[in-house]
Amino acid sequence: MKKTGNILVFIFSLYLCLMSYYLYTHQYYNVDLEAYVGLIYKAEYPDMKIEDIHKKVYTELKNTNPKLFGITPQDEEIAIGENTYYKVLSENPKAYGEELQLFSVKPFYNFVNLMFFKLGFKVTTSIFLTSILSYVLILVLIFSFLIRILKNYPLAFIITTLISLFKPILEASRHASADSLSCLLLLLSLYAFVVRKKHLAATVFAMLCILTRPEYFILYSFLYILVYFYRNTLQIKTANVFLSYGYIFLSFFLIQYFNQISWSTLFMNQFTKVQIYPITNPDPFYFPDYLNYIKKTIMLDFNGSYFPLLLLFIVIILANTFSLKSKKSWAQSLFFAAIYISVFLRFLVFPSLANRMMIGFYLIIILSLIYIQNSKRDIFKNSLEAGK
């Protein structure tokens, strides 16, 4: 078995190298790239004027991918003015400077990009390396987790390989976005807490996850409520639960404190009417527009995601052993309920369930179901037997 495991680990390593090369040679130049490049230059050259940063960014990106700004007004728009918005940004340094604030709310992601740039990589390469290396580390973490749970190297290898080809995770790894890094940090925090029982490490990873994608604060808040109610079973002191959550809250609060753009302006910019000057001259927020957009899209977006299918598997697996008297059954059900409630609340704040943005939620559902189905040990300790 050990020899088989070593061979599969070697094959898995080669596979990760091949997938990394594929992702590196098939990068997708989404329009967020120009903002992340600008933030790197703004941090690296703090004395450089925004006009110079603007010129440098668009000159480099035009040379890299001339079709990046080829959207025409005739293309379908989600928000009013969306198609001409990026043309305006490419010509207007002031508008571009204000747009950077929309992306500065992900400080840890921008910091990692900057570190790769300081190591000598090209600015666009630095951004894509963050996504590609996050993809690799996510798969390494999943493989390690499955080996520990399944005690079966071939099965762990097959499942990890299938997950690696999951379309949302591949999309996230090809984009200039914080999706892959935030997913990695989410999985690391849960792995450190549940498997390794390293609560301090779990708190640190959770803080970094929120500093990468602030909306994960919603999920962590519900998970901490769950931890609080099961703190005796988990053998965690109440003071430690509140202290850990305090650090989580502090991470989220700091982002909001320095954020110059309100949620209502962000919502309008993405879904109703593009804001050319979101800081100095934002349009007034009109609540009926928000409500109409939510009602129009919530069912379509939810049904267009993988959440209904995963919910079906959750019901099938949990119903097999569910008991109203079982603490274990309630703990598992509440865990998945926390995930789905978080998804819907996140949708109310940012009404989009784009699959590449949801990979963190998808993977914790999939891995939790594998754990429940195959592990002989309860995720909330062995003492939670049915009826006790």
Side-chain angles (χ1 to χ4, degrees), residues 216-252:
Y216 274 118
F217 176 73
I218 301 172
L219 175 62
Y220 279 114
S221 294
F222 282 105
L223 293 181
Y224 268 89
I225 293 173
L226 194 59
V227 169
Y228 174 78
F229 284 111
Y230 285 92
R231 64 191 183 281
N232 293 330
T233 304
L234 293 167
Q235 300 177 358
I236 302 177
K237 295 179 180 179
T238 303
N240 290 340
V241 175
F242 282 101
L243 182 63
S244 178
Y245 184 73
Y247 285 115
I248 300 296
F249 181 83
L250 179 62
S251 300
F252 182 74

Side-chain angles (χ1 to χ4, degrees), residues 12-245:
F12 182 65
S13 300
L14 291 179
Y15 175 74
L16 290 180
C17 292
L18 291 174
M19 288 302 294
S20 299
Y21 178 76
Y22 168 80
L23 293 172
Y24 181 75
T25 54
H26 291 77
Q27 300 165 2
Y28 180 81
Y29 289 83
N30 56 315
V31 289
D32 292 351
L33 182 63
E34 47 85 10
Y36 292 125
V37 171
L39 287 171
I40 288 178
Y41 286 144
K42 190 175 180 180
E44 182 68 9
Y45 310 111
D47 297 328
M48 184 181 288
K49 295 180 179 180
I50 189 62
E51 291 81 7
D52 296 329
I53 292 176
H54 176 268
K55 181 178 180 180
K56 184 176 178 63
V57 167
Y58 281 93
T59 300
E60 291 186 13
L61 292 185
K62 281 283 189 179
N63 292 335
T64 303
N65 187 23
K67 295 182 181 180
L68 181 60
F69 312 105
I71 299 174
T72 64
Q74 288 72 37
D75 293 330
E76 184 180 357
E77 292 184 303
I78 295 177
I80 297 173
E82 177 191 18
N83 293 341
T84 57
Y85 174 60
Y86 298 105
K87 186 175 186 298
V88 171
L89 292 181
S90 66
E91 298 170 348
N92 189 327
K94 185 177 186 297
Y96 173 76
E98 293 200 16
E99 190 222 15
L100 295 184
Q101 297 304 314
L102 294 169
F103 297 85
S104 64
V105 294
K106 305 167 186 176
F108 186 68
Y109 173 70
N110 292 319
F111 171 77
V112 174
N113 291 339
L114 178 63
M115 290 301 100
F116 281 124
F117 181 67
K118 284 182 174 291
L119 288 174
F121 294 101
K122 290 174 56 178
V123 65
T124 53
T125 302
S126 300
I127 294 171
F128 285 111
L129 275 179
T130 301
S131 295
I132 295 171
L133 291 180
S134 296
Y135 169 85
V136 170
L137 293 175
I138 286 171
L139 295 181
V140 170
L141 184 62
I142 291 174
F143 190 47
S144 302
F145 174 79
L146 292 177
I147 290 172
R148 190 182 183 99
I149 299 305
L150 302 175
K151 311 295 184 184
N152 186 320
Y153 275 88
L155 183 57
F157 175 78
I158 291 171
I159 293 175
T160 306
T161 303
L162 291 174
I163 290 176
S164 73
L165 301 175
F166 189 37
K167 185 178 179 181
I169 194 172
L170 283 176
E171 285 184 350
S173 303
R174 293 177 58 223
H175 278 69
S177 75
D179 301 319
S180 293
L181 181 60
S182 61
C183 175
L184 171 64
L185 293 166
L186 174 67
L187 295 181
L188 282 171
S189 67
L190 295 178
Y191 184 82
F193 181 83
V194 174
V195 179
R196 305 297 298 178
K197 312 300 179 186
K198 304 291 186 182
H199 301 151
L200 177 60
T203 301
V204 172
F205 286 131
M207 292 173 65
L208 294 177
C209 180
I210 290 172
L211 291 171
T212 302
R213 268 208 176 278
E215 61 265 31
Y216 274 118
F217 176 73
I218 301 172
L219 175 62
Y220 279 114
S221 294
F222 282 105
L223 293 181
Y224 268 89
I225 293 173
L226 194 59
V227 169
Y228 174 78
F229 284 111
Y230 285 92
R231 64 191 183 281
N232 293 330
T233 304
L234 293 167
Q235 300 177 358
I236 302 177
K237 295 179 180 179
T238 303
N240 290 340
V241 175
F242 282 101
L243 182 63
S244 178
Y245 184 73

